[in-house]
Amino acid sequence: MNGSAGRWRDEGAWPEGALAEADRERFRRYAAMLAFFRGEQWATAQRRGETRLTLNYARVLARKTAAYVFPAPVAFGVPVPEGGGADEATANRAERLLAATLADLDLAQLDGDLCVEAAVLGDAAVKVTWDPRAGAPAVAPVDPATLTARVAADDPRRATGMTQAYALPVAALPGIGVTVDSARLPPGPADGRGAGPDGPSVAVVEAWTAERWRMTVAGQTVRDEPNPYGWLPYVVLPNDPRPGEFWGESDLTDLLDVCRELNARMSGLSRVLEVSGSPIAVLENVDGSEGITVGPGAKWELPEGARAYLLDLLSGGGAGLHAQYVDLLLRALHDLSETPRTAFGDGGRDLSGAALEVEVQPLVQKVGRKRRQWEGFYRARNARLLDLLERFGGEPLAGLRRTEAIWPPILPSDAGEAVRNATQLVASGIRSRRSAAAALGEEDPEREWARVLEERSR
């Protein structure tokens, strides 16, 4: 969302026909998954005196997966097209400009946050625009619950138009150069209507196609002009979408029942242990219990034929059955999330390197699947950034728009071994020095190679 823009929950703010039933269902799914991620995981209301534990594995697993997808920032290379007007120097300049832009906008941190959001909600999105005041591109996260898409009839994965509806404080309208009829503005905070943390807000709706964009504020059209970019400024990251779907699906879908059952069983085991820690005295053939207390050194006088004993709730192995069932639930949770216990640093036994790789292979495959989705997102986002830098920033990039993601290793690796492998590949002519340096994490391989040559010449 841009600036102080926020989610607009009033569906009446959307233009007629822009919000289909599928979009309403998607918004409800977003809200349910986000509440579950925040810890609202019990389906029933809590009874008085009831002990409830919430083991928020949903939050931990989403963040754990994002940490494996992005163990380090991603670097990008700009290949030189064959037969094009760009040369190696121009491609190097594009790489440096892109790297500087990503660093200035702190997009490495944003990527990690978007990875978590896509895993939880099923979708994440950003808006790429040009900021004329800063003279630089701007990349802002967008709540997918404020977006709808119109897709091509022959390609459901390609959006031909997008609409965003969000709330904007009235005080922020002059900052974006918008003047609205005062009769359309909401009442002040004293009325208690339309007021948020930043004062009263209005509904803003932006409708974009590759040809035009239209903006309405409080139902009044304030912009209706050609699209200055020639492309949609929104880039959506769907999480594991179906082949014929534009929007994705949450990673938490398969974990809801297991997480709820785990919370219930752990809460039940907690109650058993709590009660067993406070002994229950059972008296037989006794009319009253006055003067009978449980404690060290306590003496009881019982009538003839009476019997007293302490109730042991842990006898018969009941607690052990609870623990075994919890272990089964945890195993199912790790299986369904494709995140083995080894990913949490608990191997449980000594394993060789090959055996450890086999054990963590489900997570490696899951991360590889997510990275393929990110590569499409990166191609679209970086192409927009390079286009803005050339067209609005005046950078001579010879039309270079294509980028290639250079991913860090998923699992911890031996840096020395990686260098030796890269050296052998370069020496045998299989790989160039530039590609090897980029694979090892060098942000500007050409500049580093120039320094190497300079040192050799000295």
Side-chain angles (χ1 to χ4, degrees):
M1 293 171 285
N2 293 329
S4 55
R7 178 180 298 178
W8 191 264
R9 292 179 173 82
D10 183 8
E11 293 184 359
W14 287 87
E16 184 178 357
L19 203 59
E21 183 57 34
D23 292 314
R24 295 187 177 92
E25 176 59 31
R26 178 167 56 88
F27 295 165
R28 288 191 289 267
R29 187 172 67 250
Y30 289 161
M33 292 302 177
L34 184 59
F36 196 88
F37 175 76
R38 289 174 174 171
E40 300 174 22
Q41 299 180 3
W42 289 80
T44 58
Q46 186 174 4
R47 297 187 297 271
R48 178 178 298 180
E50 181 185 11
T51 300
R52 282 188 170 182
L53 300 178
T54 300
L55 308 181
N56 201 343
Y57 271 88
R59 188 199 304 265
V60 172
L61 290 169
R63 290 177 173 174
K64 175 66 68 174
T65 302
Y68 273 90
V69 174
F70 296 108
V74 181
F76 298 96
V78 178
V80 179
E82 296 182 2
D87 55 13
E88 196 73 24
T90 305
N92 294 335
R93 177 177 178 81
E95 288 181 5
R96 291 194 296 270
L97 284 172
L98 181 60
T101 301
L102 299 180
D104 291 340
L105 297 175
D106 196 17
L107 294 190
Q109 176 64 42
L110 179 59
D111 288 348
D113 297 338
L114 293 177
C115 188
V116 174
E117 175 153 317
V120 174
L121 301 184
D123 301 290
V126 296
K127 187 178 183 182
V128 183
T129 55
W130 179 258
D131 186 349
R133 290 173 294 184
V139 179
V142 175
D143 185 350
T146 66
L147 287 176
T148 62
R150 185 169 67 252
V151 299
D154 58 344
D155 186 359
R157 298 183 302 170
R158 179 171 63 88
T160 59
M162 299 201 74
T163 302
Q164 182 185 13
Y166 55 89
L168 191 67
V170 174
L173 294 178
I176 60 175
V178 171
T179 302
V180 182
D181 185 359
S182 59
R184 295 177 176 268
L185 298 179
D191 299 65
R193 292 183 289 121
D198 301 319
S201 299
V202 292
V204 178
V205 180
E206 298 184 37
W208 291 82
T209 65
E211 295 77 24
R212 297 194 67 81
W213 80 290
R214 183 171 180 267
M215 182 180 186
T216 63
V217 178
Q220 176 182 336
T221 301
V222 296
R223 294 282 191 278
D224 191 357
E225 56 195 52
N227 184 342
Y229 308 121
W231 34 256
L232 299 178
Y234 301 99
V235 184
V236 177
L237 174 66
N239 182 71
D240 288 335
R242 293 179 56 197
E245 296 289 340
F246 181 81
W247 302 101
E249 186 176 14
S250 172
D251 283 349
L252 305 185
T253 301
D254 297 329
L255 308 181
L256 300 180
D257 292 341
V258 177
C259 287
R260 290 192 176 109
E261 182 67 9
L262 180 62
N263 292 335
R265 293 309 103 210
M266 288 296 291
S267 298
L269 182 58
S270 173
R271 288 192 291 271
V272 170
L273 296 177
E274 180 182 7
V275 173
S276 66
S278 301
I280 301 174
V282 180
L283 305 177
E284 295 181 358
N285 300 325
V286 176
D287 294 334
S289 60
E290 292 81 3
I292 297 178
T293 59
V294 178
K299 295 182 180 180
W300 298 348
E301 293 183 2
L302 301 176
E304 185 177 357
R307 179 171 175 259
Y309 59 92
L310 297 179
L311 182 62
D312 185 5
L313 296 179
L314 301 181
S315 62
L321 292 176
H322 275 276
Q324 292 175 18
Y325 184 48
V326 168
D327 287 340
L328 290 175
L329 290 175
L330 287 173
R331 179 173 178 176
L333 184 66
H334 287 296
D335 289 346
L336 291 173
S337 64
E338 301 176 81
T339 310
R341 188 65 196 172
T342 309
F344 291 83
D346 181 14
R349 59 194 186 280
D350 294 332
L351 297 173
S352 65
L356 184 60
E357 288 185 7
V358 171
E359 186 162 314
V360 80
Q361 191 65 20
L363 178 60
V364 173
Q365 294 171 343
K366 178 181 180 180
V367 170
R369 187 173 67 245
K370 288 186 176 294
R371 285 185 172 184
R372 286 190 291 273
Q373 297 164 9
W374 272 95
E375 286 178 353
F377 174 86
Y378 280 144
R379 284 193 295 269
R381 187 200 66 183
N382 294 347
R384 286 163 170 76
L385 290 175
L386 292 174
D387 190 59
L388 293 174
L389 288 170
E390 182 168 28
R391 293 171 55 201
F392 296 89
E395 300 290 348
L397 301 181
L400 290 176
R401 299 293 183 268
R402 184 169 174 264
T403 59
E404 296 177 346
I406 303 171
W407 292 94
I410 299 175
L411 300 177
S413 59
D414 185 349
E417 183 65 23
V419 170
R420 285 190 293 272
N421 292 337
T423 302
Q424 293 175 0
L425 291 173
V426 172
S428 59
I430 298 176
R431 200 169 204 177
S432 68
R433 288 183 174 88
R434 184 173 181 270
S435 299
L440 291 173
E442 178 59 47
E443 293 185 358
D444 192 347
E446 285 298 327
R447 178 177 296 181
E448 191 63 27
W449 179 238
R451 290 172 181 167
V452 171
L453 295 178
E454 181 182 356
E455 289 179 359
R456 287 183 179 179
S457 65
R458 288 204 303 266

